[in-house]
Amino acid sequence: MLQRPLPWPSARPLPDSFFDRDARQVAIDLLGKVLRRRYGDVWLSARIIETEAYLLDERGSHASLGYTHTRRALFEGGGTIYMYYARGGDSLNFSAAGPGNSVLVKSAFPFVDVVSGPESVATMQQLNPARSGQMRPVEKLCAGQTLLCSALNLKVPDWNARGFDPAEFFVDDAGLEPTQIIQTTRLGIPTGRDEHLPYRFVDAEHARHCTKSPLGRTRLEGEHYQLLEGGAVWKEA
């Protein structure tokens, strides 16, 4: 693999080997990692707080519908970007080990550091305004797969079936790790398409900022979700 220069000395782009593992483990380990997207002279950054894993042999996945040119990224090596349109917006996924296995980045939270300052968040708000045209609140900027892609200016024609480019877009290991992870069922899976599989993972600290909080007064631990420690290793139930 061609070694590309780092965009700044402390950058730690995830290698393809990170993604070339069981999709469920990749989904767990992506929590806390930072999406970095260059937009002009500004680096837009968002910390991943919610993911979903998908496998070839289960009916909730796109890959289960078979190979097509549009879905070719799902059948390529780990770390290939797969983007598709969801409810009229763009959606970001990464292929994992084994043909047809992948991880959907469901939501994130704007991340500010020495690389991405307040101007980064302001730019994301310009890219992803509320439907009213007003400025979208920071906590809502990336609270869903299509909102995330809008805020980071990630579009299907530009990135589907591509690899990462540290000069433009990559996933950075910024040394962050959730202390607790919520494991639950995925969202929006139709009845009869393996909707029961617990392949959704949420950084518990940011549960209120994700697509839909898996917590609530009517939801019970052990029945509706499980709590995992940070750095958990995937195990079949």
Side-chain angles (χ1 to χ4, degrees):
M1 178 180 175
L2 179 65
Q3 191 73 22
R4 297 180 177 179
L6 296 177
W8 56 87
S10 61
R12 297 172 62 192
L14 297 181
D16 290 347
S17 58
F18 174 95
F19 299 92
D20 199 22
R21 300 177 295 148
D22 188 294
R24 294 157 295 191
Q25 188 65 57
V26 175
I28 291 171
D29 292 344
L30 276 172
L31 297 176
K33 302 301 187 290
V34 178
L35 298 166
R36 303 281 196 179
R37 169 73 164 126
R38 188 172 68 83
Y39 185 77
D41 295 330
V42 177
W43 277 96
L44 312 177
S45 298
R47 174 178 174 169
I48 299 172
I49 63 171
E50 179 186 12
T51 59
E52 291 181 348
Y54 289 87
L55 306 179
L56 173 64
D57 61 358
E58 48 99 351
R59 293 169 291 177
S61 70
H62 286 193
S64 68
L65 302 175
Y67 179 94
T68 66
H69 182 72
T70 301
R71 293 194 287 265
R72 65 192 183 281
L74 294 174
F75 297 87
E76 297 182 5
T80 304
I81 299 167
Y82 170 53
M83 292 195 69
Y84 66 90
Y85 296 110
R87 298 180 295 280
D90 305 270
S91 185
L92 177 66
N93 306 254
F94 307 132
S95 65
N101 303 326
S102 65
V103 176
L104 166 65
V105 182
K106 195 75 174 173
S107 63
F109 193 85
F111 183 69
V112 175
D113 63 356
V114 295
V115 174
S116 300
E119 72 282 0
S120 168
V121 177
T123 301
M124 292 166 70
Q125 288 177 311
Q126 293 171 6
L127 288 166
N128 187 26
R131 290 184 179 180
S132 64
Q134 300 299 309
M135 186 177 295
R136 194 182 295 273
V138 172
E139 64 272 15
K140 298 292 185 182
L141 265 180
C142 306
Q145 63 203 69
T146 59
L147 295 176
L148 166 65
C149 288
S150 293
L152 295 181
N153 192 45
L154 294 169
K155 301 183 183 300
V156 172
D158 298 335
W159 289 100
N160 185 42
R162 284 187 57 183
F164 297 106
D165 180 353
E168 297 288 338
F169 174 52
F170 66 98
V171 187
D172 189 23
D173 183 354
L176 306 172
E177 185 175 291
T179 57
Q180 201 166 51
I181 296 167
I182 302 166
Q183 178 187 352
T184 186
T185 52
R186 298 170 299 189
L187 299 174
I189 305 297
T191 301
R193 297 197 67 83
D194 291 324
E195 70 279 5
H196 65 285
L197 294 174
Y199 293 168
R200 178 185 176 213
F201 303 93
V202 175
D203 182 339
E205 182 183 353
H206 289 279
R208 66 190 183 280
H209 300 138
C210 69
T211 307
K212 181 180 180 181
S213 176
L215 305 176
R217 283 182 288 183
T218 62
R219 296 182 62 80
L220 304 174
E221 182 181 356
E223 180 178 347
H224 300 106
Y225 64 88
Q226 303 289 336
L227 289 177
L228 311 176
E229 294 301 315
V233 176
W234 170 259
K235 295 179 181 179
E236 293 281 2

